[in-house]
Amino acid sequence: MWTPDDIPDLTGSTAVVTGAGGGIGLPTAARLARHGARVVMTVRDLARGEAAAETVRSQAPGARVELRRLDLADLGSVRAFAAAFDGSLDILVNNAGVGMIPRQTTADGFEMQFGTNHLGHFALTGLLLPHLLARPGARVVTVSSDAHSLGRIDFDDLGLERHYGRFTAYGRSKLANLMFTLELQRRAGGRLLSVAAHPGATATGIMKLGVLTRPVNALVRLAIQSPDKGAVPSLYAATSPEVTGGLFVGPGPRPLTPSPKALDESVAGRLWETSEELTGVRFKAITQHS
Ligand SMILES: NC(=O)c1ccc[n+]([C@@H]2O[C@H](COP(=O)([O-])OP(=O)(O)OC[C@H]3O[C@@H](n4cnc5c(N)ncnc54)[C@H](OP(=O)(O)O)[C@@H]3O)[C@@H](O)[C@H]2O)c1
């Protein structure tokens, strides 16, 4: 069975990991750095992120570890991050996420889970595309979830103003992550690898479910895997030579079958075009459909 010890030497490559200040993102960044990649860790709060960056530096002495501010719930922040990004990019891990929260909106007025998890990463990937295409075989890993099967894309109520449920809104954002992964692969063809990951139930911030009491939460967290284990599907997706574009990697790591709705190419195409309109970010370099 593949383990992170099987990650090849990544010297000379650059990786960006979103939401790298904790949870699954932190061991993802640390492992990539330990295997030689220059790692750009993105966080919302630089002061809090500094401790995470120090953890990575201590686990990967000599590695190039950089900390940058990125708030995916604010397209201005996404644009500022991308504008300041320099050089080519080998691995983008779209890891950050919010989950199962009461209805809120992003700085741009989008429903928060869809806006952060999907639209923020959609815009980020589009803006970083020239950096990715500069590296043959570059990879975009987008962290989805098996919870995608709970979601449904309703183009008439993308803001979920009529029917908001914190779990179904999360499922919808993770379905969008998976559809984005597959559509990106279809549009990019051989120019990059687009891969999705499902970490499996992992004891992180997102699993502190407000709907559960504190003792029940503590029990749930004891029963599930560590963030190190939760990072394995992303790390496999980001580095294994066995990976093919459009793969959905689950715990193990092993391939998962997306739910049938994730495979609906007509919804995926419409979601893509809608996401371009909402974010104002167009993937010009790989556009086949216009
Ligand atoms: N844990 C699980 O069981 C599980 C299962 C399936 C899928 N996932 C997915 O795994 C990914 C990582 O989540 P996690 O489990 O590690 O949860 P986590 O501990 O809550 O970490 C989430 C990360 O996302 C960042 N983030 C949240 N909102 C952001 C925003 N607006 N802009 C930028 N960064 C933001 C957080 O930053 P701050 O530190 O600033 O809050 C944090 O670093 C998510 O995509 C999640 O959907 C997790």
Side-chain angles (χ1 to χ4, degrees):
M1 184 61 76
W2 188 93
T3 76
D5 290 336
D6 296 317
I7 295 174
D9 181 16
L10 301 173
T11 304
S13 62
T14 296
V16 169
V17 181
T18 68
I24 292 165
L26 177 53
T28 304
R31 267 294 180 169
L32 294 173
R34 275 172 64 182
H35 289 265
R38 166 193 167 219
V39 177
V40 178
M41 300 172 63
T42 86
V43 295
R44 280 189 289 189
D45 181 325
L46 286 173
R48 276 196 292 130
E50 197 45 61
E54 274 315 307
T55 302
V56 173
R57 289 185 190 112
S58 69
Q59 290 181 18
R64 284 181 67 192
V65 178
E66 295 162 30
L67 194 62
R68 303 270 170 83
R69 189 179 177 278
L70 170 63
D71 183 352
L72 290 153
D74 177 353
L75 290 175
S77 171
V78 177
R79 286 187 183 280
F81 171 84
F85 187 83
D86 212 11
S88 51
L89 178 58
D90 300 84
I91 299 169
L92 169 61
V93 187
N94 288 326
N95 163 79
V98 280
M100 288 125 344
I101 52 174
R103 190 174 186 285
Q104 297 164 40
T105 50
T106 67
D108 306 281
F110 307 127
E111 183 277 312
M112 184 64 82
Q113 302 195 57
F114 186 70
T116 305
N117 301 355
H118 170 60
L119 291 175
H121 281 126
F122 179 91
L124 179 69
T125 308
L127 293 167
L128 292 179
L129 194 61
H131 303 275
L132 288 159
L133 294 178
R135 295 295 272 180
R139 297 188 189 199
V140 178
V141 177
T142 302
V143 182
S144 176
S145 170
D146 63 356
H148 78 275
S149 58
L150 297 173
R152 194 172 77 84
I153 311 285
D154 176 0
F155 291 101
D156 295 329
D157 188 20
L158 276 183
L160 294 181
E161 279 161 36
R162 290 202 289 275
H163 304 288
Y164 187 82
R166 56 178 87 191
F167 290 96
T168 48
Y170 179 65
R172 193 234 342 218
S173 74
K174 294 286 116 182
L175 175 60
N177 282 150
L178 187 49
M179 294 185 106
F180 164 67
T181 301
L182 300 175
E183 185 67 11
L184 176 60
Q185 189 61 66
R186 283 190 287 271
R187 291 184 182 229
R191 284 169 285 182
L192 53 76
L193 283 184
S194 173
V195 189
H198 162 54
T202 307
T204 63
I206 221 166
M207 291 299 278
K208 285 183 198 143
L209 303 180
V211 287
L212 302 180
T213 60
R214 218 181 268 182
V216 174
N217 249 319
L219 279 177
V220 167
R221 289 164 69 78
L222 275 180
I224 57 183
Q225 68 185 354
S226 66
D228 278 358
K229 282 258 169 64
V232 169
S234 298
L235 289 166
Y236 177 82
T239 65
S240 168
E242 291 164 10
V243 164
T244 49
L247 202 64
F248 183 26
V249 183
R254 66 185 166 79
L256 297 178
T257 305
S259 71
K261 57 191 153 187
L263 301 173
D264 186 326
E265 294 188 21
S266 113
V267 174
R270 189 169 169 199
L271 176 65
W272 185 281
E273 276 140 32
T274 304
S275 303
E276 284 193 331
E277 271 163 38
L278 292 175
T279 61
V281 174
R282 291 178 198 279
F283 287 57
K284 290 196 195 100
I286 57 162
T287 300
Q288 294 172 346
H289 298 266
S290 60

